[in-house]
Amino acid sequence: MRHTPHYVLDDVEEVRRLVRDNPWATFVSATSQGLVASHYPILLDEQADELTVLSHVGRPDDELLELGSHEMLIVVQGPHGYVSPSWYGDASLIPTWNHVTAHLYGVPEILDAEENYATLSRLVDTFEQHVAHPRSLSTDPAFARGAARGTVGLRMRVTRFDARLKLSQNKAPEVRGRIQDALHDDGPYANPALAAEMARVPALPRDAEGAE
């Protein structure tokens, strides 16, 4: 990602929050056959002291991604959206795109069958808890374990990350307020989740305004 110092996110707890709130991720691997990308849900390993994610892939993605052989990139994308210059309240012409994004790097560790099944169970339970009549793999373990054999679990300790909060911090507070109002409106670029992220981050000092 472009290195604009004002937008760099180096708070690991904020990265954890981003992962918790946005668990659909992109896996990117520079393999011997070239770049390979796949998309899977991830979870934080809450038992780990370091930033660590858990996931699984469907076979044969484990081989295509060459899991465990080298470093892999996991891209986590939070709220993002178009920001029109017409919202600024002046004669500006240049739009932008606000976003919250983290690039997580590490070498995945392949889980054994029991750890994989436990991870799959956690994934299902995590998302099913929000529905009216949640399902669980424990309802039919024999069937679920059969299905699990078609997957490969992974744990990735994040050895480094590159994260950004680009949320119009370079605009004056009153301009940021107008942007948030527009994002809460019912127009074509309505995006309350992005407005909520903006509300969490203060504007930059006046001498830093204008930086992109």
Side-chain angles (χ1 to χ4, degrees), residues 16-164:
R16 290 178 186 272
R17 182 187 70 86
L18 180 63
V19 173
R20 288 190 189 99
D21 293 348
N22 304 275
W24 182 247
T26 300
F27 297 1
V28 182
S29 186
T31 75
S32 57
Q33 303 301 310
L35 287 174
V36 175
S38 293
H39 311 272
Y40 289 96
I42 61 175
L43 293 175
L44 280 175
D45 185 349
E46 302 286 3
Q47 306 306 313
D49 293 331
E50 300 172 285
L51 177 59
T52 303
V53 297
L54 296 165
S55 189
H56 76 291
V57 301
R59 299 179 190 274
D61 272 7
D62 57 318
E63 297 179 358
L64 295 175
L65 291 163
E66 297 178 358
L67 290 183
S69 299
H70 47 68
E71 188 177 62
M72 185 172 73
L73 162 65
I74 295 180
V75 180
V76 181
Q77 181 70 71
H80 63 92
Y82 181 76
V83 175
S84 169
S86 68
W87 300 343
Y88 296 164
D90 56 24
S92 296
L93 298 176
I94 308 302
T96 193
W97 201 281
N98 280 355
H99 65 96
V100 182
T101 308
H103 293 176
L104 314 178
Y105 299 87
V107 179
E109 169 196 352
I110 304 301
L111 304 181
D112 63 30
E114 284 304 311
E115 289 180 307
N116 181 38
Y117 186 75
T119 297
L120 292 171
S121 295
R122 277 193 56 197
L123 281 163
V124 172
D125 291 345
T126 295
F127 300 114
E128 281 291 308
Q129 67 178 317
H130 302 294
V131 303
H133 304 288
R135 304 295 175 88
S136 172
L137 298 188
S138 62
T139 303
D140 190 344
F143 175 81
R145 286 182 179 277
R149 286 195 287 272
T151 70
V152 175
L154 65 93
R155 176 187 296 109
M156 193 178 90
R157 181 174 65 85
V158 178
T159 53
R160 60 191 176 97
F161 65 82
D162 184 17
R164 299 287 185 275

Side-chain angles (χ1 to χ4, degrees), residues 6 169-176 203-211:
H6 299 303
Q169 300 98 308
N170 59 318
K171 301 299 182 184
E174 61 272 17
V175 176
R176 298 185 82 233
L204 292 170
R206 288 286 183 171
D207 59 2
E209 288 180 17

